[in-house]
């Protein structure tokens, strides 16, 4: 393994991500040395089948009921690991179909988060991602980096977000202005680069998770397609004021959330349309509240993740944020693949022994290496 001080030739690295929305495995190839991104390769997506998604949802529900108390629900966790592992292998095969470039020698995989607890006072946080790393490595046949969050949490960090290292590399390609990357997954998180180059990153609040849960709970699909339900509803301003009074918004960054810390029960009793509208507006105002916690307000915000496909949410963000808000594609990024690319980038950093988290991104006491390598 190369040390951080040695010259390190860039090479093609694969990255994988399966988010808390439980919709798909995303994969991407990038050419990187773990410090810069030189080229972008192919991407692939493998949607979860309904029965696979059901297994992952059962594992998530079992993890929440367990909550690190008593014996782990190993049977459903094992079943979920098998789903995650075989779907990642299928995505890898799609990724390399027709790829004529050099074969990647390294891959980074996040696994499926089923439970996350932020540190509180003297209590360390805890986080659980399901993946059978050795089985996946054997199937892929390349060196695999995984389990990126555990060391950060054990050292007193939040364990999230981890994409800021990659976001910073992307922002470097755009210039020197104060700017912010917003990831709209199950939870929303931001990486803000100050004009002096300093990074600040944290979860701002909910994103797609509660909206998806609300829509699915009404038997209307897995998400609010095109924001149509939200567009047909009215925001419940009184309830929204109560939601924004949550003590989460008073906590200073860095900070992190579990997907279910904010959930669809927040709007119980509203019509399906009004509930969707209120949850969508809440996401936008929570992001705006996060921006006001930054030491320097960004000139622009670049949105990635599935939420950028929701025009009602994007318009709400533009109103609430008070800065330019763009979808990732407007600056030449691949908005559906950024998290997969991020774990390829983190794999390269792990292989070099470079830090993947910092005091200003996860609250860890010092710049922190992370990830396990197996080959």
């Amino acid at each position: 393994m190369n040390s951080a001080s040695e010259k390190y030739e860039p090479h093609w690295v694969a990255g994988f991500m399966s988010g808390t929305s439980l919709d798909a495995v995303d994969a991407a190839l990038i050419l990187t040395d773990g410090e810069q991104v030189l080229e972008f390769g192919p991407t692939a997506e493998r949607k979860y089948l309904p029965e696979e998604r059901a297994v992952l949802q059962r594992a998530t529900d079992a993890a929440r009921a367990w909550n690190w108390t008593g014996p782990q629900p190993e049977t459903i966790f094992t079943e979920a690991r098998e789903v995650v592992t075989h779907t990642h292998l299928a995505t890898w095969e799609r990724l390399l179909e027709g790829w004529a470039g050099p074969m990647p020698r390294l891959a980074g995989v996040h696994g499926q988060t089923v439970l996350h607890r932020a540190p509180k006072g003297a209590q360390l946080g805890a986080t659980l991602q399901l993946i059978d790393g050795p089985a996946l490595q054997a199937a892929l046949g390349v060196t695999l980096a995984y389990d990126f969050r555990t060391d950060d949490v054990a050292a007193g960090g939040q364990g999230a977000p981890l994409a800021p290292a990659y976001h910073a590399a992307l922002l470097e390609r755009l210039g020197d202005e104060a700017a912010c990357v917003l990831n709209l997954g199950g939870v929303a998180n931001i990486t803000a680069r100050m004009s002096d180059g300093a990074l600040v990153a944290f979860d701002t609040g909910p994103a797609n998770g509660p909206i998806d849960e609300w829509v699915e709970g009404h038997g209307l699909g897995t998400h609010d397609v095109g924001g149509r339900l939200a567009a047909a509803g009215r925001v419940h301003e009184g309830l929204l004021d109560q939601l924004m009074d949550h003590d989460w918004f008073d906590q200073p960054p860095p900070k992190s959330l579990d997907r279910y810390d904010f959930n669809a029960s927040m709007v119980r009793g509203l019509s399906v349309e009004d509930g969707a509208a209120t949850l969508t507006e809440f996401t936008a105002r929570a992001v705006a509240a996060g921006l006001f916690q930054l030491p320097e307000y960004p000139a622009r915000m670049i949105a990635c993740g599935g939420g950028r496909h929701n025009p009602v949410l994007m318009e709400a963000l533009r109103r609430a944020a008070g800065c330019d808000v763009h979808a990732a594609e407007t600056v030449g990024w691949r908005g559906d693949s950024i998290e997969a690319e991020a774990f390829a980038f983190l794999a390269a950093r792990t292989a070099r022994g470079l830090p993947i988290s910092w005091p200003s991104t996860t609250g860890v006491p010092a710049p922190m290496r992370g990830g396990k390598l197996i080959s």
Side-chain angles (χ1 to χ4, degrees):
M1 186 187 301
N2 297 60
S3 73
S5 61
E6 291 175 332
K7 180 174 173 58
Y8 189 86
E9 294 296 329
H11 56 277
W12 289 99
V13 184
F16 298 87
M17 183 63 191
S18 174
T20 54
S21 56
L22 307 180
D23 59 344
V25 179
D26 294 307
L29 276 181
I30 59 171
L31 182 65
T32 183
D33 60 1
E35 295 182 274
Q36 294 181 302
V37 184
L38 289 89
E39 290 184 48
F40 299 96
T43 65
E45 178 188 69
R46 201 288 202 170
K47 293 282 189 187
Y48 285 121
L49 301 175
E51 57 270 27
E52 294 166 342
R53 191 170 187 270
V55 170
L56 299 181
Q57 186 63 61
R58 286 199 300 272
T60 302
D61 294 342
R64 293 174 64 207
W66 165 60
N67 198 28
W68 289 287
T69 301
Q72 280 196 24
E74 272 303 331
T75 300
I76 184 58
F77 281 5
T78 298
E79 205 177 332
R81 286 189 188 97
E82 290 172 354
V83 167
V84 173
T85 303
H86 84 72
T87 51
H88 278 61
L89 177 59
T91 314
W92 163 265
E93 292 167 350
R94 289 186 183 184
L95 182 68
L96 297 180
E97 283 176 8
W99 169 242
M103 282 291 290
R105 296 177 290 161
L106 174 66
V109 59
H110 174 260
Q112 183 63 55
T113 296
V114 292
L115 195 60
H116 181 83
R117 182 182 69 204
K120 187 173 183 179
Q123 183 188 49
L124 292 176
T127 192
L128 180 61
Q129 288 74 44
L130 298 181
I131 186 77
D132 187 338
L136 182 60
Q137 186 278 323
L140 300 184
V142 301
T143 300
L144 185 71
Y146 73 113
D147 194 12
F148 290 96
R149 301 187 189 273
T150 300
D151 289 348
D152 184 278
V153 168
Q158 299 277 334
L162 288 185
Y166 183 62
H167 292 161
L170 290 179
L171 287 170
E172 276 185 20
R173 298 165 64 96
L174 300 183
D176 297 328
E177 68 179 4
C180 176
V181 180
L182 169 66
N183 179 53
L184 294 166
V187 169
N189 57 71
I190 57 174
T191 300
R193 186 190 60 189
M194 307 299 103
S195 54
D196 65 359
L199 282 185
V200 179
F202 56 96
D203 289 348
T204 60
N208 306 323
I211 304 169
D212 294 351
E213 182 189 351
W214 179 251
V215 172
E216 191 164 17
H218 285 83
L220 297 173
T222 59
H223 63 291
D224 186 6
V225 179
R228 289 196 290 267
L229 291 171
R234 296 180 63 181
V235 173
H236 192 303
E237 291 288 347
L239 176 56
L240 195 56
D241 288 343
Q242 293 178 37
L243 295 175
M244 290 303 302
D245 199 37
H246 194 288
D247 61 6
W248 165 260
F249 300 106
D250 297 323
Q251 295 178 33
K255 51 186 176 176
S256 65
L257 286 168
D258 180 73
R259 150 66 185 89
Y260 288 93
D261 285 340
F262 291 99
N263 56 62
S265 68
M266 296 182 291
V267 293
R268 186 183 294 129
L270 299 185
S271 71
V272 62
E273 295 84 2
D274 290 357
T278 302
L279 289 172
T280 301
E281 185 69 24
F282 181 41
T283 294
R285 295 197 195 176
V287 170
L291 297 182
F292 280 107
Q293 290 189 298
L294 295 171
E296 182 179 358
Y297 208 84
R300 63 173 164 170
M301 184 162 61
I302 302 159
C304 55
R308 80 190 192 289
H309 295 303
N310 182 332
V312 178
L313 175 55
M314 289 294 286
E315 185 54 39
L317 285 165
R318 292 184 180 101
R319 288 195 309 270
C323 65
D324 290 338
V325 179
H326 310 286
E329 286 72 17
T330 64
V331 296
W333 299 352
R334 305 183 299 185
D336 287 323
S337 303
I338 286 176
E339 286 210 301
E341 293 168 5
F343 282 95
F345 189 77
L346 293 177
R349 293 186 69 84
T350 296
R352 292 187 60 186
L354 295 172
I356 65 171
S357 58
W358 293 264
S360 64
T361 62
T362 67
V364 76
M368 187 84 197
R369 299 176 183 182
K372 293 182 173 64
L373 281 175
I374 50 175
S375 56

